[in-house]
Amino acid sequence: MNWWIMDDNNIVVMKFGGTSVGTIEKINKVADRAIIANKEGKNVVITVSAMGDTTDDLIGLSAKISNNPSRREMDMLLSTGEQVSSSLLAMAIIEKGAKAVSLTGYQTGILTDDTFSEAKILDVGKKRIFKEFSKGNIVIVAGFQGVTSECDITTLGRGGSDTTAVALASALGAKYCEIFTDVEGVFTGDPNIITNARKINILSYDEMLEFASSGAKVLHLRAVEYAKNHEVIIHVRSSFNNNEGTWVMNTESVNDKMEQAVVSGVSYDTNQVKISVFGIPDVPGVAARLFSEFAEAHINVDMIVQNVSEKGKAAISLTIKNEDLKIAKEVIDRMKITLHIESVEVDTDIAKVSIVGAGMKSHPGVASKMFSCLGENNINIEMISTSPIIISCVLRKDRVKEAIRLLHDCFSLEKE
Ligand code: ADP
Ligand code: ASP
Ligand code: MG
């Protein structure tokens, strides 16, 4: 056993994603796993996502009624998906002769702020879970949901069940949090696209944050932030076997002597749009006004490029998430007059590719290698952003898979 998980306090938190509870057969497999851990004398908490594509299906239903539904009502709707899977899992465990209870976020005491659809966890109650442990129950908590101080149901953003699990592990003092999913861990690139991608054994919080924020949806970004802030070790592993997966943790203590990989992996994000705003006056304070309006509308701006100005006018291009486009257009329309914007262009055919690696900090030449690799293959780079451990490029959406495969090869990340 790895030393960092020894002397565990007997509480295990396991999270199973949508594919892992996608059918009754799979729910029964999760029930078996929970019962085995319980028989080993552990207090087991399981958090589950909605079955298969349930969340997407529910969003589809709402779209038949409104193209701009109330965010509060959306959370009421989407939270039901996790209630279905958690109650079915409890039934499966009971059916197999063990004891279980399912709880909603509200019943558990997962208190959030009131940012519907992207709520932030403020507190996690422990009382109810410990009470259920004392009755011998395996506790199943519906993932992805919480409740405001006004008792309104909230959700934590797409993929948010990971965050529920990490928050539970932190509150309960579990030594680590197990995220069971449909791949064997975090790979050097999406294993569903890069067939020779290699599983990474240990990854630092910072690298995982960059992976998650640049599109590798294997872990919810908020979950990694929460884990880093509360020092929760995450084990990402397959729900279909017992193999060891990827440990996401503070790596300084583990491998001070090991040299950090220059590039740990590649990622991509096709859920982005580029907005270009032309003809804005090139005077101090304009960018501040534009971006503070975006911030007030809760729009996260990712990449930003300001072009060389001509005749006192500047052009700014920025990228945002697809789902924020509607609100972003409203913000820009409002500002057209006050900021004297001449024209706006929206480009939905873009994607972002990134390379991530803690070792980049001390190795010059990584960016030029990335740009050469794309350039030699005739892939045009439209925007670039860099930080010490990630380099990202925006390019045409239809070249994205080819680009990440090329970069994966170029940095020799394949299986040994
Ligand atoms: P779950 O439903 O279990 O939460 P997700 O679909 O959210 O699972 O995340 C798992 C998926 O993440 C994988 O099927 C894989 O396609 C994708 N993925 C993207 N990048 C990576 C990566 N670097 N390593 C592993 N999986 C990745
Ligand atoms: N069911 C939610 C979603 O599909 C939350 C999750 O799966 O973590 O985004
Ligand atoms: Mg997920």
Side-chain angles (χ1 to χ4, degrees):
M1 190 192 283
N2 294 310
W3 62 261
W4 58 83
I5 57 166
M6 285 188 329
D7 60 57
D8 124 36
N9 73 352
N10 222 23
I11 295 177
V12 291
V13 176
M14 305 175 176
K15 177 259 171 177
F16 292 86
T19 325
S20 310
V21 292
T23 62
I24 297 301
E25 198 193 346
K26 286 181 178 167
I27 289 180
N28 272 313
K29 292 236 163 76
V30 173
D32 291 336
R33 212 184 261 273
I35 292 170
I36 290 170
N38 190 236
K39 283 196 175 144
E40 285 168 357
K42 306 215 188 260
N43 285 313
V44 181
V45 178
I46 299 190
T47 182
V48 281
S49 293
M51 292 172 73
D53 295 329
T54 304
T55 310
D56 289 330
D57 295 345
L58 291 170
I59 292 172
L61 275 182
S62 72
K64 287 186 181 160
I65 291 181
S66 164
N67 61 13
N68 190 19
S70 141
R71 288 194 168 201
R72 181 193 178 278
E73 298 312 326
M74 278 309 282
D75 282 5
M76 277 295 275
L77 177 70
L78 299 191
S79 62
T80 61
E82 271 69 12
Q83 285 189 50
V84 171
S85 50
S86 50
S87 51
L88 288 175
L89 177 58
M91 287 178 207
I93 294 172
I94 295 165
E95 195 61 24
K96 288 171 187 284
K99 294 177 79 178
V101 65
S102 64
L103 300 173
T104 63
Y106 177 50
Q107 290 168 319
T108 310
I110 299 182
L111 183 72
T112 71
D113 65 13
D114 61 1
T115 319
F116 295 105
S117 85
E118 277 289 342
K120 232 172 148 177
I121 295 179
L122 302 175
D123 190 35
V124 177
K126 292 177 276 197
K127 240 164 115 188
R128 178 70 190 264
I129 293 180
F130 281 120
K131 196 168 149 198
E132 298 301 340
F133 283 162
S134 71
K135 293 189 216 162
N137 277 323
I138 292 171
V139 183
I140 297 141
V141 177
F144 172 60
Q145 57 178 263
V147 65
T148 67
S149 55
E150 298 290 311
C151 295
D152 283 321
I153 292 176
T154 52
T155 65
L156 310 179
R158 295 304 306 268
S161 300
D162 296 337
T163 306
T164 307
V166 171
L168 284 167
S170 167
L172 300 169
K175 188 82 176 160
Y176 62 102
C177 175
E178 295 207 284
I179 305 283
F180 289 89
T181 184
D182 57 2
V183 287
E184 294 218 1
V186 183
F187 283 68
T188 49
D190 186 341
N192 288 321
I193 293 180
I194 302 174
T195 45
N196 61 353
R198 182 171 40 82
K199 190 182 78 193
I200 301 168
N201 295 328
I202 300 179
L203 206 54
S204 68
Y205 290 122
D206 287 336
E207 282 174 297
M208 191 61 232
L209 280 174
E210 297 296 1
F211 264 118
S213 65
S214 59
K217 63 174 184 157
V218 60
L219 277 181
H220 192 221
L221 176 60
R222 283 261 182 85
V224 191
E225 283 169 353
Y226 205 103
K228 183 183 176 191
N229 293 340
H230 297 81
E231 294 206 22
V232 178
I233 296 172
I234 302 178
H235 185 200
V236 183
R237 55 186 299 200
S238 169
S239 60
F240 309 127
N241 61 42
N242 285 322
N243 297 348
E244 184 154 322
T246 301
W247 294 92
V248 180
M249 58 194 291
N250 184 351
T251 49
E252 278 165 30
S253 51
V254 181
N255 49 4
D256 348 323
K257 292 195 193 79
M258 259 172 63
E259 209 182 316
Q260 284 169 320
V262 177
V263 174
S264 299
V266 299
S267 53
Y268 70 100
D269 187 354
T270 49
N271 188 31
Q272 294 231 330
V273 286
K274 180 165 93 174
I275 301 180
S276 301
V277 184
F278 299 101
I280 37 181
D282 191 16
V283 291
V286 172
R289 278 173 63 193
L290 181 68
F291 290 104
S292 55
E293 289 277 336
F294 273 89
E296 268 167 42
H298 298 288
I299 299 170
N300 267 327
V301 177
D302 186 6
M303 287 195 183
I304 304 169
V305 175
Q306 171 154 353
N307 296 336
V308 186
S309 65
E310 266 175 42
K311 297 180 204 129
K313 300 270 183 178
I316 294 180
S317 292
L318 52 94
T319 61
I320 57 170
K321 278 195 214 162
N322 240 323
E323 53 267 31
D324 289 335
L325 180 58
K326 200 165 169 288
I327 303 175
K329 276 183 179 162
E330 287 168 15
V331 169
I332 292 176
D333 278 346
R334 273 204 310 275
M335 302 201 70
K336 258 188 177 158
I337 299 168
T338 48
L339 279 190
H340 307 289
I341 291 170
E342 278 171 8
S343 62
V344 179
E345 247 174 42
V346 174
D347 186 347
T348 53
D349 290 327
I350 58 137
K352 183 174 79 170
V353 297
S354 307
I355 56 173
V356 176
M360 274 189 220
K361 277 185 267 197
S362 47
H363 281 78
V366 181
S368 67
K369 191 169 172 181
M370 178 182 191
F371 305 153
S372 307
C373 170
L374 296 173
E376 279 159 15
N377 289 282
N378 218 10
I379 297 177
N380 193 36
I381 302 170
E382 301 179 23
M383 291 170 101
I384 296 168
S385 76
T386 65
S387 85
I389 66 167
I390 185 165
I391 305 171
S392 303
C393 297
V394 166
L395 34 89
R396 289 293 97 198
K397 199 180 251 172
D398 59 3
R399 305 294 301 272
V400 71
K401 287 188 183 168
E402 182 191 354
I404 55 161
R405 287 189 187 118
L406 285 165
L407 291 169
H408 196 267
D409 281 351
C410 173
F411 287 97
S412 309
L413 299 173
E414 66 277 2
K415 282 181 192 156
E416 271 116 34

